[in-house]
Amino acid sequence: MKRREFLAAGVAAAALAMTNVEVKAEVTDSTYDGKSADKQQSARLCLGSQLGIIPGGSMEEKLAKMKAWGMEAVELGGNVANLDEAKKIKQQIADAGLIPSAVCWGSHNGDLMSFDKERKQKGTDDLKKVLEGAGIVGCTGVIYVPAFNGQSPLTNQEMRKMLLDDFPALADFAAECGTTIIFEPLNRGEAYFLRQVADGAAIARDINELSSKKCGMTVMGDFYHMSIEETDMMGAFISGGKLLSHVHLAGGVSDPRRTIPGQNKSRFVEGFRGLKYIGYTGPCSFECGVRGDREVEIPKALAFLKKEYELAVI
Amino acid sequence: MKRREFLAAGVAAAALAMTNVEVKAEVTDSTYDGKSADKQQSARLCLGSQLGIIPGGSMEEKLAKMKAWGMEAVELGGNVANLDEAKKIKQQIADAGLIPSAVCWGSHNGDLMSFDKERKQKGTDDLKKVLEGAGIVGCTGVIYVPAFNGQSPLTNQEMRKMLLDDFPALADFAAECGTTIIFEPLNRGEAYFLRQVADGAAIARDINELSSKKCGMTVMGDFYHMSIEETDMMGAFISGGKLLSHVHLAGGVSDPRRTIPGQNKSRFVEGFRGLKYIGYTGPCSFECGVRGDREVEIPKALAFLKKEYELAVI
């Protein structure tokens, strides 16, 4: 009622009252021609995996297996922070006829979301090292979680502020390395802060706005976490939009949890509609468990996902 | 790296570690036939307004003006909590050939998000009164903001928990009255908690799951707040989905802020695409200031919005 009177009083009062809102850009001011189909044309499904579930006694064997199964993109681990290792991995991936996707890094114990300067510096230094390695390999980004539950004393609001204070410089560092920092929204059981793709995308956008290069922060979606936190997979991916740089594939929270697609009741059509709508061409990467014989089950999962992608008509 | 090893260890360990996640439903388990066009068929633009900006010396004059301009839905104020008033208003709206939309209520000073029992009881009683009145009028819902900045000592996480603890019963009360409680996501300048449609929809879904009637909580989108907090209007409305029950129309944060559509650089095509995609038929209601002669500017805004809606091709 107070609010209605305030609005009825007109825009002058409104403008005055709203001046405490810090906003850098408005997303609605583009010019629309009424057509959105163009961006959908370019969309394609680029399948890949973390190395853990791939059978093989060596990196070479695993990469050869991925190639033989028709996968394209390899998700790596934090060992790329060793720059010699990074160069070697880059060559191995190229030799196998594959491409690198993201580095699955994590939260570094939440050290970057800390008021303790020393702890924070250590986390920052280590993130920079892995960004450098990711750049050498040619990775799309380094997957980063601000804090798992219990790792940071900061409230959600304080964490958002700390990200906006500290990450424009880190985003520029990532961009200079030729890569990005990728926010991974998790589910409430793992992290209370950053649980939806739209939230991660908005924080990434705000950080980019405050940075020089404007492109060092991105966001990803993980089908498992999304099955808990999102009301709509398509809506979430569209909110990720051009900031979306990675996708984790796993069955949702239904029994059995987080198994490979097809070993779970989870469907992927709705999410794939979103990926098609935004013209996503980036990697979709297995981060999941597998029941049974991996030699049989992983190819089955790849076939299942291709079928789901075909069904995703907009 | 720890995380990758954990995942590589397979699904048994994963299932064990995830048992602390409280989840009631997974949204990905529906059956898809690959077609989504059906729901789009039913979508239509139902325009309306709060009464404040409508010229007229009386309720009757305002309603007659709205009808003459081709509006359909009337957004009301907290005075419907007076049940005699509610009955009168219901009749006035019917006599004018219009329909009621939502009641714009607010936060009641954040009283429901308080650890103070007396304060909370007062807020709860008053919300129940306005829900009863809204039910009598036939309103789609009562717009509710958990707390504006500074109104509640609770952190975001505590507020979400308090909503899940207290609101299943209130949602059932709303449903018994034949109406709903509508979460309104605001922008950070007004409220740090609840700033995105996807977040509001997820909280509403979780409350509904815990309630008996499963339908008493809904969510709305306000184009002004969305222009600040959302990365994509279409993605946000799709995330609202079937839980979306109201829309506020106003120009975004661009100069001049929160003016009537068309008096601002803001476009509505992207948001309307989302509304069309989910088959939204609910009210889209002016909550904005108007510069210049309202008799001229409001009809201009209505024509502008109809054109934007036509341009919203999916």
Side-chain angles (χ1 to χ4, degrees):
Chain A
M1 296 165 293
K2 262 189 191 163
R3 199 160 150 239
R4 289 180 62 237
E5 284 159 19
F6 154 77
L7 283 158
V11 74
L16 192 66
M18 302 296 177
T19 46
N20 63 330
V21 184
E22 281 179 42
V23 182
K24 304 293 168 195
E26 181 179 359
V27 293
T28 52
D29 282 354
S30 330
T31 304
Y32 295 102
D33 62 357
K35 287 177 197 162
S36 64
D38 294 352
K39 57 187 171 182
Q40 298 166 31
Q41 301 291 333
S42 60
R44 58 181 289 274
L45 184 60
C46 170
L47 291 167
S49 183
Q50 295 184 350
L51 290 166
I53 61 163
I54 307 296
S58 67
M59 175 90 168
E60 284 78 5
E61 280 179 32
K62 284 172 183 277
L63 295 178
K65 188 63 83 180
M66 285 177 71
K67 182 70 182 175
W69 282 340
M71 292 198 212
E72 297 179 62
V74 189
E75 183 172 329
L76 299 163
N79 55 329
V80 302
N82 176 325
L83 304 193
D84 290 330
E85 186 82 358
K87 285 172 202 161
K88 202 178 124 193
I89 289 169
K90 178 191 171 75
Q91 193 57 51
Q92 286 176 310
I93 292 173
D95 290 347
L98 298 166
I99 54 169
S101 65
V103 172
C104 193
W105 195 62
S107 73
H108 204 277
N109 302 313
D111 289 345
L112 286 99
M113 295 293 101
S114 168
F115 293 125
D116 176 334
K117 279 192 182 174
E118 205 175 317
R119 192 181 152 192
K120 187 172 188 154
Q121 191 60 53
K122 180 76 175 67
T124 305
D125 293 345
D126 284 0
L127 176 55
K128 283 185 169 180
K129 269 183 219 154
V130 75
L131 284 167
E132 218 178 325
I136 287 172
V137 180
C139 290
T140 48
V142 171
I143 298 171
Y144 170 69
V145 171
F148 287 87
N149 289 334
Q151 288 187 333
S152 170
L154 281 70
T155 64
N156 286 9
Q157 205 168 316
E158 287 168 338
M159 276 202 247
R160 200 186 200 283
K161 184 178 181 316
M162 193 171 273
L163 287 170
L164 289 191
D165 288 344
D166 300 345
F167 272 62
L170 281 166
D172 280 337
F173 183 87
E176 280 157 21
C177 293
T179 192
T180 71
I181 301 167
I182 310 174
F183 281 135
E184 180 173 17
L186 302 177
N187 74 78
R188 64 196 78 174
E190 299 184 33
Y192 277 102
F193 178 70
L194 195 42
R195 295 176 297 102
Q196 291 190 313
V197 176
D199 192 24
I203 303 171
R205 174 199 62 187
D206 292 352
I207 291 170
N208 283 339
E209 281 293 328
L210 294 169
S211 74
S212 306
K213 310 251 175 214
K214 312 279 181 206
C215 60
M217 291 303 306
T218 60
V219 71
M220 62 169 287
D222 174 304
F223 272 91
Y224 170 71
H225 300 301
M226 291 170 74
S227 79
I228 297 167
E229 298 298 342
E230 306 288 356
T231 49
D232 192 284
M233 298 289 194
M234 180 178 181
F237 280 130
I238 293 178
S239 292
K242 61 179 194 254
L243 290 161
L244 192 83
S245 68
H246 199 66
V247 172
H248 272 165
L249 296 167
V253 75
S254 306
D255 186 47
R257 291 164 192 255
R258 195 133 214 155
T259 35
I260 202 163
Q263 291 195 331
N264 189 294
K265 289 196 289 278
S266 300
R267 300 293 304 265
F268 293 78
V269 177
E270 187 183 332
F272 284 164
R273 274 201 194 106
L275 295 180
K276 278 191 177 172
Y277 189 82
I278 61 172
Y280 183 71
T281 57
C284 291
S285 183
F286 288 131
E287 184 187 58
C288 52
V290 183
R291 296 194 304 171
D293 183 354
R294 291 172 189 213
E295 296 278 358
V296 176
E297 298 301 326
I298 296 176
K300 258 168 70 178
L302 292 166
F304 168 70
L305 288 165
K306 283 176 191 166
K307 226 167 160 181
E308 291 287 278
Y309 195 77
E310 270 172 37
L311 283 172
V313 179
I314 297 159
Chain B
M1 294 165 292
K2 264 189 190 163
R3 200 161 150 238
R4 289 181 63 237
E5 285 159 20
F6 153 79
L7 284 157
V11 72
L16 191 68
M18 302 296 177
T19 46
N20 63 330
V21 184
E22 280 179 42
V23 181
K24 303 295 170 196
E26 181 178 359
V27 292
T28 52
D29 282 354
S30 329
T31 304
Y32 294 102
D33 62 358
K35 287 178 198 163
S36 63
D38 293 353
K39 57 186 171 184
Q40 299 165 31
Q41 301 291 333
S42 59
R44 59 182 288 274
L45 184 60
C46 171
L47 290 167
S49 183
Q50 295 184 350
L51 291 165
I53 60 163
I54 307 296
S58 67
M59 175 90 168
E60 284 78 4
E61 279 180 30
K62 285 172 182 277
L63 295 178
K65 187 61 83 179
M66 286 177 71
K67 181 71 182 174
W69 282 339
M71 291 197 214
E72 297 180 62
V74 189
E75 183 171 330
L76 299 164
N79 55 330
V80 302
N82 176 325
L83 303 191
D84 289 330
E85 186 81 358
K87 286 173 200 160
K88 203 177 122 194
I89 289 170
K90 178 190 171 76
Q91 193 57 51
Q92 286 177 311
I93 291 174
D95 289 348
L98 298 166
I99 54 170
S101 65
V103 173
C104 193
W105 195 62
S107 72
H108 203 278
N109 301 313
D111 288 345
L112 287 98
M113 295 293 101
S114 168
F115 293 124
D116 177 334
K117 278 193 182 174
E118 204 176 319
R119 192 180 152 194
K120 187 171 187 151
Q121 192 60 52
K122 180 77 174 67
T124 304
D125 291 345
D126 284 1
L127 177 54
K128 283 185 169 179
K129 268 183 219 154
V130 76
L131 284 168
E132 217 179 326
I136 287 172
V137 179
C139 290
T140 48
V142 171
I143 298 171
Y144 169 69
V145 171
F148 287 87
N149 289 334
Q151 289 186 334
S152 170
L154 281 70
T155 65
N156 286 8
Q157 206 168 313
E158 288 168 337
M159 276 202 246
R160 199 185 199 284
K161 184 178 181 315
M162 192 172 273
L163 287 170
L164 289 192
D165 287 344
D166 299 345
F167 272 63
L170 281 165
D172 279 336
F173 183 87
E176 280 157 20
C177 293
T179 191
T180 71
I181 302 167
I182 310 174
F183 281 133
E184 180 173 17
L186 302 177
N187 73 78
R188 63 197 77 175
E190 299 183 35
Y192 277 102
F193 178 70
L194 195 43
R195 297 176 295 104
Q196 292 191 311
V197 176
D199 192 25
I203 304 171
R205 175 199 62 185
D206 292 352
I207 292 169
N208 283 338
E209 281 293 329
L210 295 169
S211 73
S212 306
K213 310 252 175 216
K214 312 280 181 204
C215 60
M217 290 303 304
T218 59
V219 70
M220 63 170 287
D222 175 303
F223 271 91
Y224 171 71
H225 300 301
M226 290 171 75
S227 79
I228 297 167
E229 298 298 342
E230 306 287 357
T231 50
D232 192 285
M233 298 290 195
M234 179 178 183
F237 280 130
I238 292 179
S239 292
K242 61 178 193 254
L243 289 162
L244 192 83
S245 68
H246 199 67
V247 171
H248 272 165
L249 295 166
V253 75
S254 305
D255 186 45
R257 289 164 194 257
R258 194 132 215 156
T259 35
I260 202 164
Q263 290 195 332
N264 191 295
K265 288 197 288 278
S266 299
R267 300 294 303 266
F268 294 77
V269 177
E270 188 184 331
F272 284 164
R273 275 201 193 106
L275 295 180
K276 277 192 178 172
Y277 189 83
I278 61 172
Y280 183 72
T281 57
C284 290
S285 184
F286 287 131
E287 185 187 58
C288 51
V290 183
R291 295 193 305 170
D293 184 354
R294 292 170 189 215
E295 297 277 359
V296 177
E297 299 301 326
I298 296 176
K300 258 168 70 176
L302 293 167
F304 168 70
L305 287 166
K306 283 177 192 166
K307 227 168 161 181
E308 292 285 278
Y309 196 77
E310 271 172 36
L311 283 173
V313 178
I314 297 159

